[in-house]
C-alpha cells in the first residue's frame, strides 16, 4: 500500500505575498513529493509496506537500522502537518479559548510569539520547531532537529514551523528571520485549536487533510 502525497490544502499562489508560489512549487512539489517517493521505494516489499504512515514512523524510530525509512516517513508526515498549519485567510491570533491557554503557559500572546520565533531562529541547521501538548495538558515549545517528530516522544503536535533552508531560500535566501515574520502572519490558528483535542496515539494523517476544507 503506497503512501500518498497528501494534497496541498490551497493553491500554490494562495500564501503570497508571505510565501511565494515558486517556494510552494519547490517545497511541496519537489521536496515533500520526494520524501513520499523515497519512502515508497524504501518500504516496497518490506513489512512497513502494510502500515499507516504514523505506524511506519513509530516502528522505524525503534530501529536504528531503519533511519532512512524514519527520516522519509517523518518528513512526509511533518510536511502535511506544516501545510495545514498555514492558511491564506489566517486570523491574526487564536480564538479566545486557545488564547487563554497560551497565556497560561507563556504569558502574553506576544511573549509566546517571541519565544516561538526565537526557538526557530536558534535551531542550528535543519529541523522543525513545534508547539506541543504534553500528556498532562501542558503546552511547550519543542525544537527538533532534521526529521524528528513529537509523536514519537508521546507529545501532541499543535503547530510547527519548518526551518529547513528549503522553506525560505528562494524568497529570503539566508535570512531566516524574514521568513519567520511571514510565517507568523499566516498561522492557521483554527487548525492549532483543532489539534488540542487530539492525543498522539490517535493521530492520523488523514485528519489534517480532511479538516483543511473546513478551515482554509
Ligand atoms: Mn520542508
Amino acid at each position: 500500500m503506497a503512501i500518498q502525497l497528501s494534497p496541498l490544502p490551497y493553491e500554490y499562489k494562495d500564501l503570497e505575498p508571505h510565501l511565494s508560489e515558486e517556494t510552494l512549487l519547490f517545497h511541496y512539489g519537489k521536496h515533500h513529493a520526494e520524501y513520499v517517493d523515497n519512502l515508497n521505494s524504501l518500504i516496497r516489499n518490506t513489512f512497513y509496506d502494510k502500515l499507516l504512515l504514523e505506524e511506519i514512523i513509530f516502528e522505524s524510530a525503534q530501529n536504528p537500522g531503519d533511519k532512512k525509512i524514519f527520516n522519509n516517513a517523518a518528513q512526509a508526515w511533518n510536511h502535511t502537518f506544516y501545510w495545514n498549519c498555514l492558511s491564506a485567510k489566517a486570523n491574526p491570533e487564536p480564538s479566545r479559548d486557545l488564547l487563554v491557554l497560551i497565556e497560561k503557559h507563556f504569558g502574553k500572546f506576544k511573549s509566546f510569539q517571541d519565544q516561538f520565533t526565537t526557538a526557530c531562529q536558534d535551531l542550528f541547521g535543519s529541523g522543525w520547531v513545534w508547539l506541543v501538548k504534553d500528556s498532562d495538558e501542558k503546552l511547550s515549545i519543542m525544537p527538533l532537529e532534521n526529521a524528528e517528530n513529537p509523536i514519537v516522544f508521546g507529545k501532541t503536535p499543535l503547530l510547527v514551523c519548518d526551518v529547513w533552508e528549503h522553506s525560505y531560500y528562494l524568497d529570503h535566501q539566508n535570512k531566516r528571520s524574514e521568513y519567520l515574520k511571514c510565517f507568523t502572519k499566516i498561522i492557521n490558528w483554527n487548525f492549532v485549536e483543532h489539534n488540542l483535542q487530539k492525543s498522539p496515539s490517535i493521530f492520523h494523517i488523514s485528519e489534517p487533510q480532511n479538516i483543511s476544507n473546513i478551515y482554509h
Side-chain angles (χ1 to χ4, degrees):
M1 185 176 67
I3 299 298
Q4 302 295 317
L5 174 63
S6 48
L8 197 62
Y10 29 72
E11 300 297 320
Y12 291 112
K13 61 175 171 30
D14 280 355
L15 299 179
E16 290 192 338
H18 311 291
L19 293 182
S20 70
E21 179 175 15
E22 190 185 19
T23 287
L24 265 68
L25 279 166
F26 276 89
H27 196 178
Y28 172 78
K30 303 288 184 193
H31 290 280
H32 188 177
E34 196 168 296
Y35 292 124
V36 175
D37 289 346
N38 288 344
L39 175 63
N40 283 322
S41 298
L42 288 164
I43 64 173
R44 193 166 296 132
N45 300 323
T46 73
F47 98 104
Y48 287 108
D49 204 7
K50 306 275 185 293
L51 305 183
L52 295 170
L53 184 57
E54 289 78 7
E55 295 170 329
I56 298 173
I57 292 170
F58 278 111
E59 286 293 328
S60 59
Q62 315 300 321
N63 297 304
D66 291 334
K67 187 73 177 170
K68 263 190 186 175
I69 290 177
F70 173 82
N71 283 339
N72 284 283
Q75 284 294 81
W77 196 98
N78 294 355
H79 280 92
T80 295
F81 193 84
Y82 171 73
W83 301 125
N84 281 280
C85 284
L86 303 175
S87 170
K89 303 171 198 142
N91 295 321
E93 60 179 47
S95 67
R96 184 75 205 142
D97 287 353
L98 181 55
L99 195 58
V100 167
L101 199 58
I102 287 174
E103 287 176 348
K104 181 181 160 195
H105 290 94
F106 300 99
K108 295 279 181 213
F109 182 58
K110 173 75 167 60
S111 170
F112 162 74
Q113 288 179 305
D114 290 345
Q115 290 175 52
F116 192 84
T117 302
T118 300
C120 291
Q121 191 65 53
D122 288 352
L123 198 157
F124 187 77
S126 297
W128 302 79
V129 174
W130 304 82
L131 173 65
V132 298
K133 183 183 72 168
D134 297 345
S135 52
D136 59 0
E137 302 290 312
K138 189 173 178 297
L139 304 193
S140 59
I141 294 168
M142 190 175 195
L144 292 175
E145 291 179 1
N146 300 318
E148 293 291 342
N149 179 305
I151 62 174
V152 173
F153 303 102
K155 317 271 189 190
T156 300
L158 305 177
L159 167 70
V160 75
C161 183
D162 186 346
V163 296
W164 284 60
E165 272 185 354
H166 64 227
S167 307
Y168 56 89
Y169 212 84
L170 291 174
D171 290 342
H172 303 291
Q173 295 76 52
N174 59 318
K175 296 188 275 298
R176 186 184 288 184
S177 59
E178 294 299 310
Y179 159 67
L180 296 174
K181 283 181 201 164
C182 294
F183 172 85
T184 302
K185 291 175 185 159
I186 49 172
I187 293 174
N188 182 355
W189 289 107
N190 291 327
F191 180 65
V192 179
E193 186 161 14
H194 173 86
N195 293 328
L196 276 173
Q197 316 306 322
K198 298 177 186 171
S199 70
S201 58
I202 58 152
F203 237 94
H204 289 294
I205 196 69
S206 57
E207 283 220 46
Q209 293 172 30
N210 290 343
I211 73 147
S212 64
N213 292 334
I214 304 170
Y215 291 127
H216 287 280

